[in-house]
Amino acid sequence: MRKPYFIAGNWKMNKTKDEAVELARQVVEAVKDGKNRYLVAPSFTNLDAVSSVVKGTNVILGAQNCSTEEAGAHTGEVSVGMLKSVGVQTVILGHSERRHIYGESDEMINKKVRLALANGLDVILCIGELLEEREAGKAEAVCEEQTRKGLKDVSAQDMARVTIAYEPVWAIGTGKTATPDDAQAIHAFVRGVLKSMFGDDVAEKTYIQYGGSMNDGNAADLLAKPDIDGGLIGGAALVAEKFSVIAHVE
Ligand code: PGA
Protein backbone atom coordinates (compact mmCIF):
# COMPACT_ATOMS: atom_id res chain seq x y z
CA MET A 1 0.00 0.00 0.00
CA ARG A 2 0.97 3.57 -0.64
CA LYS A 3 0.07 6.00 2.11
CA PRO A 4 -1.79 8.14 2.77
CA TYR A 5 -4.51 6.08 1.08
CA PHE A 6 -6.60 7.76 -1.61
CA ILE A 7 -10.26 7.24 -0.71
CA ALA A 8 -12.73 8.42 -3.36
CA GLY A 9 -16.52 8.42 -3.43
CA ASN A 10 -18.17 7.98 -6.81
CA TRP A 11 -21.74 9.11 -6.24
CA LYS A 12 -22.83 8.07 -9.75
CA MET A 13 -26.35 9.23 -10.75
CA ASN A 14 -27.56 9.68 -7.19
CA LYS A 15 -28.67 12.66 -5.10
CA THR A 16 -30.50 15.83 -6.00
CA LYS A 17 -28.72 19.11 -5.43
CA ASP A 18 -29.87 19.56 -1.83
CA GLU A 19 -29.15 15.94 -1.00
CA ALA A 20 -25.67 16.18 -2.52
CA VAL A 21 -24.90 19.30 -0.49
CA GLU A 22 -26.05 17.55 2.67
CA LEU A 23 -23.95 14.46 1.96
CA ALA A 24 -20.93 16.62 1.14
CA ARG A 25 -21.33 18.45 4.47
CA GLN A 26 -21.48 15.14 6.31
CA VAL A 27 -18.40 13.81 4.49
CA VAL A 28 -16.42 16.99 5.18
CA GLU A 29 -17.28 16.74 8.87
CA ALA A 30 -16.51 13.02 9.00
CA VAL A 31 -13.06 13.21 7.40
CA LYS A 32 -11.83 16.57 8.63
CA ASP A 33 -9.32 14.94 10.97
CA GLY A 34 -8.62 12.00 8.67
CA LYS A 35 -5.08 11.19 7.61
CA ASN A 36 -5.88 10.00 4.09
CA ARG A 37 -6.60 11.80 0.82
CA TYR A 38 -10.29 12.22 0.00
CA LEU A 39 -12.38 12.89 -3.06
CA VAL A 40 -16.09 13.06 -3.79
CA ALA A 41 -17.48 12.91 -7.32
CA PRO A 42 -21.09 14.13 -7.56
CA SER A 43 -23.03 14.34 -10.82
CA PHE A 44 -22.40 17.29 -13.14
CA THR A 45 -25.43 19.30 -12.00
CA ASN A 46 -24.31 19.09 -8.36
CA LEU A 47 -20.64 19.95 -8.86
CA ASP A 48 -20.98 23.69 -8.35
CA ALA A 49 -22.99 23.39 -5.14
CA VAL A 50 -20.72 20.67 -3.71
CA SER A 51 -17.70 22.72 -4.72
CA SER A 52 -18.77 25.44 -2.29
CA VAL A 53 -19.02 22.87 0.51
CA VAL A 54 -15.62 21.23 -0.01
CA LYS A 55 -13.68 24.38 -0.84
CA GLY A 56 -10.86 24.92 1.67
CA THR A 57 -11.30 21.44 3.18
CA ASN A 58 -9.29 18.24 2.75
CA VAL A 59 -11.87 16.86 0.29
CA ILE A 60 -11.07 17.09 -3.42
CA LEU A 61 -13.86 17.68 -5.94
CA GLY A 62 -14.03 15.10 -8.71
CA ALA A 63 -16.21 14.68 -11.79
CA GLN A 64 -17.42 11.35 -13.16
CA ASN A 65 -16.66 11.98 -16.83
CA CYS A 66 -15.77 14.66 -19.37
CA SER A 67 -16.04 15.21 -23.09
CA THR A 68 -13.39 14.13 -25.58
CA GLU A 69 -13.65 17.64 -27.04
CA GLU A 70 -12.73 21.06 -25.70
CA ALA A 71 -15.78 23.02 -26.86
CA GLY A 72 -18.33 23.36 -29.62
CA ALA A 73 -21.22 21.45 -31.11
CA HIS A 74 -21.37 18.48 -28.73
CA THR A 75 -24.88 18.47 -27.32
CA GLY A 76 -25.11 16.97 -23.86
CA GLU A 77 -21.36 16.91 -23.23
CA VAL A 78 -19.38 18.70 -20.51
CA SER A 79 -15.87 20.03 -21.18
CA VAL A 80 -12.78 19.98 -18.99
CA GLY A 81 -12.85 23.79 -18.99
CA MET A 82 -16.39 23.74 -17.57
CA LEU A 83 -15.32 21.29 -14.89
CA LYS A 84 -12.35 23.42 -13.91
CA SER A 85 -14.53 26.53 -13.76
CA VAL A 86 -16.54 25.00 -10.90
CA GLY A 87 -13.51 23.80 -8.95
CA VAL A 88 -13.11 20.23 -10.20
CA GLN A 89 -9.54 18.98 -9.76
CA THR A 90 -9.88 15.35 -10.79
CA VAL A 91 -11.92 13.46 -13.34
CA ILE A 92 -12.88 9.77 -13.23
CA LEU A 93 -12.51 8.28 -16.72
CA GLY A 94 -13.21 4.91 -18.25
CA HIS A 95 -15.60 3.76 -15.55
CA SER A 96 -17.08 0.38 -16.50
CA GLU A 97 -20.55 1.91 -16.71
CA ARG A 98 -19.20 4.35 -19.32
CA ARG A 99 -17.47 1.51 -21.16
CA HIS A 100 -20.22 -1.09 -21.06
CA ILE A 101 -23.49 0.87 -20.91
CA TYR A 102 -22.46 3.88 -23.00
CA GLY A 103 -20.02 2.19 -25.33
CA GLU A 104 -16.88 4.19 -24.60
CA SER A 105 -13.86 2.71 -26.33
CA ASP A 106 -10.28 2.68 -25.07
CA GLU A 107 -9.48 5.24 -27.78
CA MET A 108 -12.17 7.66 -26.53
CA ILE A 109 -11.06 7.17 -22.96
CA ASN A 110 -7.44 7.80 -23.92
CA LYS A 111 -8.44 11.02 -25.68
CA LYS A 112 -10.22 12.17 -22.52
CA VAL A 113 -7.25 11.19 -20.33
CA ARG A 114 -4.85 13.21 -22.46
CA LEU A 115 -7.20 16.19 -22.70
CA ALA A 116 -7.81 16.26 -18.95
CA LEU A 117 -4.08 16.04 -18.17
CA ALA A 118 -3.21 18.70 -20.75
CA ASN A 119 -5.71 21.02 -19.10
CA GLY A 120 -4.35 20.51 -15.60
CA LEU A 121 -6.87 18.05 -14.23
CA ASP A 122 -5.84 14.89 -12.40
CA VAL A 123 -7.27 11.60 -13.66
CA ILE A 124 -8.59 8.40 -12.11
CA LEU A 125 -8.49 5.85 -14.93
CA CYS A 126 -10.79 2.88 -14.28
CA ILE A 127 -10.00 -0.56 -15.63
CA GLY A 128 -11.48 -3.99 -14.97
CA GLU A 129 -12.69 -7.21 -16.49
CA LEU A 130 -16.20 -8.57 -16.98
CA LEU A 131 -17.24 -11.79 -15.26
CA GLU A 132 -17.03 -13.80 -18.49
CA GLU A 133 -13.55 -12.43 -19.12
CA ARG A 134 -12.44 -13.50 -15.65
CA GLU A 135 -13.98 -16.94 -16.09
CA ALA A 136 -12.20 -17.29 -19.42
CA GLY A 137 -8.89 -16.54 -17.71
CA LYS A 138 -8.58 -13.16 -19.43
CA ALA A 139 -8.64 -10.80 -16.45
CA GLU A 140 -4.98 -9.86 -16.75
CA ALA A 141 -5.09 -9.46 -20.52
CA VAL A 142 -8.13 -7.17 -20.32
CA CYS A 143 -6.59 -5.05 -17.58
CA GLU A 144 -3.31 -4.81 -19.47
CA GLU A 145 -5.02 -3.72 -22.67
CA GLN A 146 -7.18 -1.11 -20.91
CA THR A 147 -4.13 0.23 -19.06
CA ARG A 148 -1.90 0.41 -22.14
CA LYS A 149 -4.56 1.92 -24.39
CA GLY A 150 -5.93 4.26 -21.74
CA LEU A 151 -2.46 5.65 -21.00
CA LYS A 152 -1.17 5.73 -24.57
CA ASP A 153 0.99 8.83 -25.18
CA VAL A 154 0.79 9.91 -21.54
CA SER A 155 4.21 11.07 -20.34
CA ALA A 156 6.01 9.66 -17.31
CA GLN A 157 5.84 13.16 -15.85
CA ASP A 158 2.06 13.36 -16.24
CA MET A 159 1.70 9.97 -14.56
CA ALA A 160 2.23 11.85 -11.27
CA ARG A 161 -1.37 13.05 -11.81
CA VAL A 162 -2.87 9.69 -12.74
CA THR A 163 -4.47 7.17 -10.40
CA ILE A 164 -5.59 3.76 -11.65
CA ALA A 165 -8.78 2.23 -10.24
CA TYR A 166 -9.04 -1.53 -10.65
CA GLU A 167 -12.75 -2.30 -10.61
CA PRO A 168 -13.70 -5.84 -11.60
CA VAL A 169 -17.05 -5.29 -13.30
CA TRP A 170 -18.61 -8.33 -11.61
CA ALA A 171 -17.91 -6.75 -8.22
CA ILE A 172 -19.45 -3.35 -8.89
CA GLY A 173 -22.71 -2.76 -7.08
CA THR A 174 -23.19 -6.51 -6.62
CA GLY A 175 -21.99 -7.00 -3.07
CA LYS A 176 -19.44 -9.50 -4.47
CA THR A 177 -16.11 -8.01 -3.52
CA ALA A 178 -12.93 -9.48 -4.95
CA THR A 179 -11.05 -11.25 -2.19
CA PRO A 180 -8.08 -9.22 -0.96
CA ASP A 181 -5.76 -11.81 -2.51
CA ASP A 182 -7.49 -11.77 -5.90
CA ALA A 183 -7.52 -7.97 -5.94
CA GLN A 184 -3.87 -7.83 -4.87
CA ALA A 185 -2.89 -10.18 -7.69
CA ILE A 186 -4.35 -7.88 -10.34
CA HIS A 187 -2.99 -4.76 -8.66
CA ALA A 188 0.51 -6.23 -8.67
CA PHE A 189 0.07 -7.28 -12.28
CA VAL A 190 -1.07 -3.78 -13.32
CA ARG A 191 1.88 -2.27 -11.48
CA GLY A 192 4.07 -4.52 -13.61
CA VAL A 193 2.39 -3.16 -16.73
CA LEU A 194 3.07 0.39 -15.53
CA LYS A 195 6.68 -0.59 -14.94
CA SER A 196 7.09 -1.81 -18.48
CA MET A 197 5.43 1.35 -19.82
CA PHE A 198 6.98 4.03 -17.61
CA GLY A 199 9.77 2.44 -15.56
CA ASP A 200 10.26 1.51 -11.92
CA ASP A 201 9.92 4.93 -10.37
CA VAL A 202 6.51 5.74 -11.89
CA ALA A 203 5.23 2.23 -11.21
CA GLU A 204 6.22 2.46 -7.56
CA LYS A 205 4.62 5.87 -7.09
CA THR A 206 1.36 5.36 -8.98
CA TYR A 207 -1.67 4.81 -6.79
CA ILE A 208 -3.91 1.88 -7.69
CA GLN A 209 -7.31 2.00 -6.02
CA TYR A 210 -9.62 -0.96 -5.68
CA GLY A 211 -13.32 -0.53 -6.51
CA GLY A 212 -16.24 -2.93 -6.48
CA SER A 213 -18.40 -3.33 -3.37
CA MET A 214 -15.73 -1.92 -1.10
CA ASN A 215 -17.47 -1.11 2.16
CA ASP A 216 -16.97 -0.38 5.84
CA GLY A 217 -16.63 -4.11 6.56
CA ASN A 218 -14.02 -5.13 3.99
CA ALA A 219 -11.98 -1.98 3.33
CA ALA A 220 -9.32 -2.55 5.98
CA ASP A 221 -8.47 -6.04 4.66
CA LEU A 222 -8.26 -4.82 1.07
CA LEU A 223 -6.20 -1.76 1.99
CA ALA A 224 -3.74 -3.91 3.95
CA LYS A 225 -2.51 -5.46 0.70
CA PRO A 226 0.82 -4.20 -0.62
CA ASP A 227 -0.45 -2.94 -3.99
CA ILE A 228 -3.87 -1.61 -2.95
CA ASP A 229 -3.48 2.09 -2.32
CA GLY A 230 -7.01 3.33 -1.88
CA GLY A 231 -10.58 2.80 -2.88
CA LEU A 232 -13.10 4.05 -5.42
CA ILE A 233 -16.35 3.57 -3.61
CA GLY A 234 -19.86 3.67 -5.04
CA GLY A 235 -22.75 2.47 -2.88
CA ALA A 236 -20.99 2.84 0.48
CA ALA A 237 -19.98 6.41 -0.42
CA LEU A 238 -23.63 7.47 -0.40
CA VAL A 239 -23.83 6.91 3.36
CA ALA A 240 -21.51 9.25 5.25
CA GLU A 241 -21.10 6.87 8.20
CA LYS A 242 -19.93 4.04 5.96
CA PHE A 243 -17.66 6.26 3.89
CA SER A 244 -16.20 7.62 7.11
CA VAL A 245 -15.19 4.15 8.32
CA ILE A 246 -13.33 3.48 5.06
CA ALA A 247 -11.88 6.99 5.13
CA HIS A 248 -10.30 6.40 8.52
CA VAL A 249 -8.50 3.14 7.72
CA GLU A 250 -4.81 3.75 8.38
P1 PGA B 1 -19.69 0.02 -5.76
O1 PGA B 1 -19.22 0.91 -7.02
O2 PGA B 1 -18.84 0.41 -4.61
O3 PGA B 1 -21.14 0.40 -5.57
O4 PGA B 1 -19.52 -1.40 -6.15
C1 PGA B 1 -17.86 1.16 -7.23
C2 PGA B 1 -17.67 1.94 -8.51
O5 PGA B 1 -18.33 1.61 -9.51
O6 PGA B 1 -16.87 2.89 -8.58
Side-chain angles (χ1 to χ4, degrees):
M1 69 295 282
R2 271 126 211 89
K3 288 193 180 177
Y5 293 124
F6 184 13
I7 308 296
N10 172 13
W11 294 357
K12 307 193 180 183
M13 197 175 71
N14 293 293
K15 306 288 178 189
T16 60
K17 180 176 164 186
D18 289 349
E19 290 165 351
V21 165
E22 179 56 23
L23 178 58
R25 285 202 182 111
Q26 291 171 352
V27 169
V28 163
E29 179 60 25
V31 307
K32 67 174 195 272
D33 300 320
K35 302 225 170 13
N36 293 315
R37 226 174 123 213
Y38 306 111
L39 175 147
V40 292
S43 58
F44 288 138
T45 56
N46 297 335
L47 283 169
D48 198 16
V50 170
S51 182
S52 306
V53 179
V54 300
K55 198 172 179 189
T57 75
N58 60 343
V59 179
I60 299 164
L61 185 65
Q64 300 172 16
N65 190 16
C66 70
S67 174
T68 52
E69 308 304 321
E70 276 181 88
H74 299 283
T75 303
E77 292 291 295
V78 175
S79 73
V80 286
M82 293 168 186
L83 296 180
K84 284 177 66 178
S85 75
V86 293
V88 169
Q89 287 174 259
T90 303
V91 59
I92 299 169
L93 295 172
H95 190 278
S96 68
E97 288 145 19
R98 301 301 319 167
R99 292 177 188 269
H100 299 298
I101 305 175
Y102 297 101
E104 290 194 14
S105 65
D106 284 311
E107 290 66 31
M108 275 174 82
I109 294 161
N110 175 250
K111 198 170 174 193
K112 294 179 183 196
V113 168
R114 286 185 287 117
L115 187 64
L117 291 171
N119 282 276
L121 288 177
D122 292 356
V123 166
I124 297 176
L125 172 66
C126 303
I127 61 165
E129 80 284 0
L130 297 163
L131 182 59
E132 56 263 38
E133 292 167 337
R134 170 158 285 255
E135 286 173 343
K138 291 186 186 152
E140 289 188 348
V142 169
C143 291
E144 173 158 10
E145 185 172 10
Q146 291 178 352
T147 303
R148 287 192 183 276
K149 289 187 172 171
L151 297 176
K152 186 168 175 284
D153 296 331
V154 171
S155 68
Q157 194 186 347
D158 279 348
M159 280 302 291
R161 294 188 289 123
V162 174
T163 296
I164 307 287
Y166 168 57
E167 301 202 304
V169 182
W170 47 272
I172 295 178
T174 58
K176 283 188 213 152
T177 321
T179 64
D181 286 341
D182 283 348
Q184 163 61 25
I186 297 286
H187 281 239
F189 172 79
V190 171
R191 200 174 301 286
V193 174
L194 294 175
K195 190 170 167 176
S196 87
M197 291 178 76
F198 300 104
D200 285 1
D201 190 47
V202 168
E204 274 313 306
K205 287 187 179 142
T206 302
Y207 270 61
I208 308 179
Q209 297 172 320
Y210 170 79
S213 299
M214 186 186 259
N215 59 40
D216 45 330
N218 60 29
D221 287 343
L222 287 157
L223 292 169
K225 292 291 172 186
D227 289 292
I228 302 183
D229 314 315
L232 181 56
I233 298 126
L238 296 173
V239 183
E241 294 76 20
K242 292 188 183 177
F243 188 72
S244 176
V245 172
I246 305 169
H248 288 279
V249 175
E250 280 179 33

